[in-house]
Amino acid sequence: MTITRFAPSPTGRLHVGNIRTALHNWMLAQIAGGEFILRIDDTDAQRSKEEYVEAIRADLAWLGIEASREERQSARLDHYQAAFDTLRETGRIYPAYETQQELELKRKVLLGRGLPPIYDRGALDLTDADRASKEADGVHPHWRFKLDHSEQIGWQDGVRGAVKFDPALLSDPVIRRADRSWLYMLPSTVDDVDMGVTQVLRGEDHVSNTAVQIQMFTALGANPPSFAHEALLVGTEGKLSKRLGSLGCDSFRERGIEAKAIIALLSRLGTSLPVEPIVDRAKLLETFDLSTFGRAPAKFDDADLDRINSAIVHAMDFDAAKDRLPEGMDEAGWHAVRPNISTISEVGDWWRLVTGPIESCEFSDEDRAFLSHAASIMNAAFEADDAPWAALTSALKEATGRKGKALFLPLRQALTGMNHGPDMGELLPLIGKEVAHARLVQAAG
Ligand code: GLU
């Protein structure tokens, strides 16, 4: 069975980049009939906040990305300790005592010599006596995972193809701090083993973590899952954008963006498939395939999102919209207004043309006479025909010889207070005979 996971650290709100990762992992599980786990990576007690855990849940729920179950790292610390003990016994974890400053100096020296800043494993040269003396001085070690330099690392990446790493070119990662708290690397691996995760899909900023973790899986006696790393999202300006890092569900909601528009866009952004306003998830799932993912950074453009959102709103059924429409707005109202909006939040502005009050416009004497004539035949237009606008305008055309703008614009202005707006054929029956009559009379002065 396919098991995927989305593992956010609750140190902030979800942003568009991690929403995309969550979505893709959910999709991978869906197409395989598998499970999608929400795993809260909250080992960093200082920076993790319960309000962010709740916000992550709420955002995923709003997006319709539903987890099969939720796990929390803070509830699994004994598992990490057990793995730590095992790896220590087998010599894959070792204590190190360098201070931040010492490490920084080592880095600078290497960089100064034009060498990669790889940790020199100085801690492995310490004798028992050296360690005992550090401890006696009250220095607590941090802990590193010892990479096996004799074992070349390679995997077939779902997006990047064959990836190879020489472990000798990587630093042994620090996995635990001197205060005994955990860094990301080991808990994540332990969880992926214990939770039976079969497929890890995450951003390409994790590629070198994957190299390390593959050795951790093996050291823990487990088979690594399959890995895929998607290219990162960039803003339209072409570089990693700060703005994208803060762009989340709240700002989308404020802008009136539908969750479905985000899903449609993020399902295909960065793939070779066209980004289309597809609301049917089954259709998005049918075409979802890691082999369509490109390696170039995917460009996130607000204009694409707006375009997708408008198209989705224009095609939205009354039933899907009705809970968010102004009171009293029925299906005919929705259909009249729908083509004129790009977000549902704009509905109210147009619906006011029906419910009033409307703006009053200035008319010439000639137009006032024309509108007065229109008022006098409004009753007849409503009675003669179930399409009162067509009846009204054709009668007026015949009687006055007006056509085009001269015919339509004063009527639209008098009936709605606007120069443009929803189709008058749909709007007039909604305004109704009496109100329409009154507005014409008012405009005719
Ligand atoms: N908590 C990690 C992050 O947010 C998870 C990375 C992973 O998917 O393993 O970057």
Side-chain angles (χ1 to χ4, degrees):
M1 158 138 102
T2 295
I3 300 181
T4 65
R5 88 299 195 275
F6 170 54
S9 307
T11 54
R13 295 294 298 258
L14 295 184
H15 56 74
V16 59
N18 40 41
I19 290 170
R20 175 168 171 253
T21 305
L23 172 66
H24 292 168
N25 278 289
W26 178 83
M27 292 178 92
L28 282 176
Q30 289 292 307
I31 52 181
E35 276 185 11
F36 165 69
I37 301 172
L38 169 61
R39 190 184 80 208
I40 304 292
D41 278 6
D42 58 349
T43 52
D44 186 339
Q46 241 127 58
R47 291 175 59 228
S48 297
K49 294 214 167 68
E50 205 50 34
E51 66 185 90
Y52 293 131
V53 176
E54 276 156 28
I56 288 167
R57 288 191 197 120
D59 286 346
L60 292 177
W62 180 68
L63 292 158
I65 299 175
E66 207 180 312
S68 321
R69 63 177 206 269
E70 187 180 307
E71 300 275 0
R72 278 184 91 124
Q73 290 199 322
S74 55
R76 295 180 39 80
L77 300 181
D78 49 340
H79 295 264
Y80 312 144
Q81 183 63 51
F84 179 88
D85 293 342
T86 307
L87 293 175
R88 217 185 141 192
E89 269 160 35
T90 53
R92 295 302 296 272
I93 289 179
Y94 61 92
Y97 296 84
E98 293 94 341
T99 62
Q100 278 303 328
Q101 288 90 324
E102 284 167 333
L103 290 171
E104 200 42 51
L105 191 65
K106 287 186 188 206
R107 276 174 59 84
K108 278 196 183 136
V109 169
L110 288 170
L111 288 170
R113 288 197 206 133
L115 295 169
I118 301 166
Y119 175 59
D120 63 2
R121 292 186 157 175
L124 287 176
D125 298 333
L126 298 177
T127 62
D128 285 348
D130 293 333
R131 280 192 287 269
S133 117
K134 299 259 184 208
E135 301 280 344
D137 290 346
V139 184
H140 295 300
H142 53 275
W143 301 85
R144 290 189 185 258
F145 177 74
K146 190 176 166 201
L147 290 163
D148 180 354
H149 287 184
S150 68
E151 193 193 311
Q152 291 298 301
I153 305 166
W155 71 93
Q156 193 59 32
D157 193 283
V159 174
R160 302 164 71 82
V163 181
K164 285 196 176 67
F165 271 87
D166 178 354
L169 299 178
L170 298 168
S171 294
D172 289 340
V174 177
I175 55 149
R176 197 171 193 178
R177 299 184 189 91
D179 67 1
R180 301 182 61 76
S181 65
W182 298 102
L183 283 130
Y184 153 76
M185 212 68 102
L186 181 64
S188 178
T189 308
V190 171
D191 287 347
D192 288 340
V193 174
D194 289 356
M195 295 167 196
V197 171
T198 59
Q199 235 177 321
V200 171
L201 171 64
R202 54 192 176 191
E204 68 181 7
D205 50 331
H206 282 288
V207 168
S208 61
N209 289 342
T210 296
V212 167
Q213 287 177 327
I214 283 179
Q215 283 212 352
M216 280 184 185
F217 279 101
T218 314
L220 291 168
N223 284 326
S226 60
F227 287 97
H229 297 83
E230 45 189 10
L232 299 182
L233 280 187
V234 292
T236 37
E237 64 276 20
K239 46 184 165 28
L240 272 176
S241 141
K242 269 220 174 105
R243 202 180 76 82
L244 284 192
S246 62
L247 201 58
C249 290
D250 274 354
S251 67
F252 291 134
R253 265 192 298 253
E254 264 162 41
R255 256 169 67 199
I257 299 292
E258 302 294 315
K260 287 186 163 73
I262 297 163
I263 300 291
L265 177 66
L266 294 183
S267 294
R268 290 187 168 186
L269 194 61
T271 73
S272 56
L273 301 167
V275 172
E276 289 168 342
I278 299 171
V279 290
D280 180 2
R281 287 205 186 191
K283 198 163 165 210
L284 291 170
L285 287 168
E286 239 167 59
T287 51
F288 185 75
D289 183 349
L290 288 185
S291 71
T292 63
F293 279 66
R295 291 190 53 174
K299 260 197 194 144
F300 178 87
D301 187 346
D302 272 317
D304 286 337
L305 187 57
D306 289 336
R307 174 176 62 79
I308 300 279
N309 197 69
S310 298
I312 285 176
V313 169
H314 294 164
M316 194 181 285
D317 287 341
F318 176 62
D319 274 346
K322 69 177 180 220
D323 292 342
R324 291 181 286 156
L325 300 182
E327 227 185 286
M329 186 171 189
D330 60 4
E331 189 162 2
W334 170 240
H335 285 162
V337 166
R338 190 174 65 168
N340 287 72
I341 56 173
S342 37
T343 66
I344 292 196
S345 53
E346 293 165 10
V347 162
D349 292 340
W350 294 118
W351 188 237
R352 254 191 300 284
L353 306 190
V354 170
T355 57
I358 58 164
E359 305 271 325
S360 54
C361 301
E362 290 291 319
F363 296 100
S364 64
D365 288 348
E366 213 181 316
D367 279 347
R368 284 213 299 278
F370 168 71
L371 293 170
S372 170
H373 182 169
S376 71
I377 62 168
M378 187 58 90
N379 259 343
F382 267 86
E383 262 140 43
D385 205 308
D386 59 358
W389 176 252
L392 178 75
T393 50
S394 65
L396 285 170
K397 185 176 180 182
E398 196 149 313
T400 66
R402 286 192 185 220
K403 56 182 191 233
K405 203 171 155 193
L407 174 65
F408 297 115
L409 188 60
L411 290 170
R412 177 182 282 283
Q413 288 174 327
L415 288 165
T416 69
M418 304 266 306
N419 295 333
H420 67 284
D423 181 70
M424 288 304 301
E426 292 190 56
L427 221 44
L428 184 55
L430 297 167
I431 294 170
K433 187 171 62 179
E434 279 79 26
V435 174
H437 182 261
R439 286 181 187 176
L440 289 178
V441 169
Q442 165 99 18

